[in-house]
Amino acid sequence: MALPSDRLDRFARHIVLPEIGGAGQAALAKAAVALIGLGGIGSPALQYLAGAGVGTLVLVDDDAVDLSNLQRQTIYRAGETGRSKTELAEIWVREFDPSLNVKRVSRRVTRENAGETVAGVDLVLDGCDNFATRLAVSDACVAARIPLLSAAVGRFQGQVGAFAGHLPDQPCYRCYVGDAFDADDCDTCADDGMLGAMAGWAGTFAALQAIRVLLAPTGGLGDPQWGKLHLLDGLKPGMRTLGIVKDPGCKACAGR
Ligand SMILES: [Zn+2]
């Protein structure tokens, strides 16, 4: 698929990279990514995925903008408090690049609707703020055979992991955290605080890993890094990587 000349110009700095090139840019234009949560991680992730020309963006959030969000949620502005995050995010994308397709899902993700929410996308990037949603999203991804990038941040720490539990020998997010958090939705950042730039680091790193996954079929940036959990430490600063293994007793992905 050849890209039109204005798209070649827009993505010239990508296309000149041998790891992306015209074929990789065309693959990004064909890709669909669901962003779960348009907060501190979802905002910068959205900006860089839209910047990368990811053709279809499914924007999932049930929240409205609060004044305290502006310290890290980079797509919102003073004067927009109280308005729907998905509505504002859609406006942001349309003004930034009208060629991209946007689908809004303005509801809270639950076990009941998670499958419908992620249906049809190539990748889910979960930057939500609670374990119950993360596990519901992860289970839906395993069932639909969709890869999942899970990103979280608090205080000066972040983590970004790539999961493909639908594949043999690859773990899912539930293999990592277990079943204890299914009903836990109280781990929001309001209690502990968060350096805004940490959310930016985790969100942009998640966008980088998303592009790695989307380009993996054409070689791209190499290994999609399934089961690798990157821990970001903003105080040190530094980064280290853990390997997660498939749990043979996992109720979501065992036997796959
Ligand atoms: Zn699992």
Side-chain angles (χ1 to χ4, degrees), residues 60-177:
V60 185
D61 203 304
D62 70 334
D63 208 358
V65 177
D66 182 85
L67 188 59
S68 67
N69 297 156
L70 301 183
Q71 163 254 20
R72 65 194 178 283
Q73 301 187 16
T74 47
I75 58 174
Y76 310 118
R77 296 175 291 188
E80 294 179 335
T81 56
R83 292 180 62 186
S84 152
K85 289 186 179 180
T86 54
E87 182 193 339
L88 292 168
E90 178 174 22
I91 291 168
W92 184 89
V93 174
R94 298 226 180 280
E95 290 179 350
F96 177 74
D97 186 348
S99 298
L100 305 181
N101 302 306
V102 177
K103 181 183 167 197
R104 285 172 59 193
V105 182
S106 305
R107 67 180 175 210
R108 190 170 185 83
V109 179
T110 63
R111 302 207 66 75
E112 289 68 38
N113 66 29
E116 186 188 332
T117 304
V118 303
V121 301
D122 301 295
L123 172 71
V124 173
L125 195 166
D126 183 4
C128 80
D129 62 1
N130 70 87
F131 280 109
T133 300
R134 284 185 206 131
L135 285 165
V137 167
S138 174
D139 291 354
C141 285
V142 172
R145 305 186 61 80
I146 298 169
L148 169 68
L149 274 173
S150 186
V153 67
R155 295 174 59 85
F156 300 92
Q157 316 296 321
Q159 57 182 46
V160 178
F163 297 94
H166 56 283
L167 300 177
D169 304 322
Q170 297 297 348
C172 74
Y173 179 76
R174 185 179 287 280
C175 293
Y176 165 49
V177 298

